[in-house]
Amino acid sequence: MKTHLKTKIAASIMIMGLGMASAVNAQVALPMSGTTFNSGGNMSTSLGSFSLLASMSSAFIATDPTAFSGVLDSYVLANNTDNPLGGLSFAYRLTNNQSSNDAIHRLALNGFSGLQLQAGYLDGGVSPTGGAAGTGLTPTLVDRGLAPGDNIGFGFLQGTVSGISFDSLDPGLTSRYLVVYTNAATYSTTMASVIDGSVASAATFAPIPEPETYGMMLAGLALMGFVARRRSSKNSA
């Protein structure tokens, strides 16, 4: 098995449970601009007090069943005193089964359109279940897609970033708790993608954007359509 250098990375993620934080937070915001943050900075986070709203453990297997299989644990947290955005927090922990042949390189999550987000991983303090957060593989990076910013992802890539060594999620390894803080008030179930050369789907939780967020998105799409029609009319003239 490969050697892993444990480092501190953090980004805001909402998680619900019961406990007290012990580490200093250094969350990073995830704007809707295709932004990527890597471990060259301190992105470790912790949970303050919180209430655990929901949890699930979802087994997955790659489309190529010889590639990898594992488990995604997901949590929804409310009243998290360390969530700077005031909404729900979401936490995820990814395990690659010992019987897998391939490493896992990415966890992709959707359902975050139009929301304010911060993200990272737990580096101490309590876990979403109320026990010790423990150890695990630190993600190499966290990223968010372009507006409306529906997708975010945590990468596990082998290499060195800013002098810090990172590794892929090899068979038998489990990630740290990955956290996403949001300003959402409600949540629902959705599907996450676990990716290497092959892909697997796993049930998980995601926030539900507020009605005004949908209104702003529709207004933006309408404006884009209006501009496109005007340009088309000018080109036809």
Side-chain angles (χ1 to χ4, degrees), residues 57 147 161:
S57 184
V161 180

Side-chain angles (χ1 to χ4, degrees), residues 190-212:
T190 186
M191 299 300 291
S193 296
V194 183
I195 303 170
D196 182 47
S198 190
V199 179
S201 296
T204 188
F205 298 115
I208 299 176
E210 295 301 305
E212 56 267 27

Side-chain angles (χ1 to χ4, degrees), residues 3-4 63 68 77 92-93 131 145 171 189 224:
T3 301
H4 307 285
T63 50
F68 63 82
L77 309 179
Y92 310 93
R93 199 174 202 195
T189 56
M224 291 171 63

Side-chain angles (χ1 to χ4, degrees), residues 57-61 70-72 201-203:
S57 184
S58 178
F60 58 83
I61 186 168
V71 176
L72 176 63
S201 296

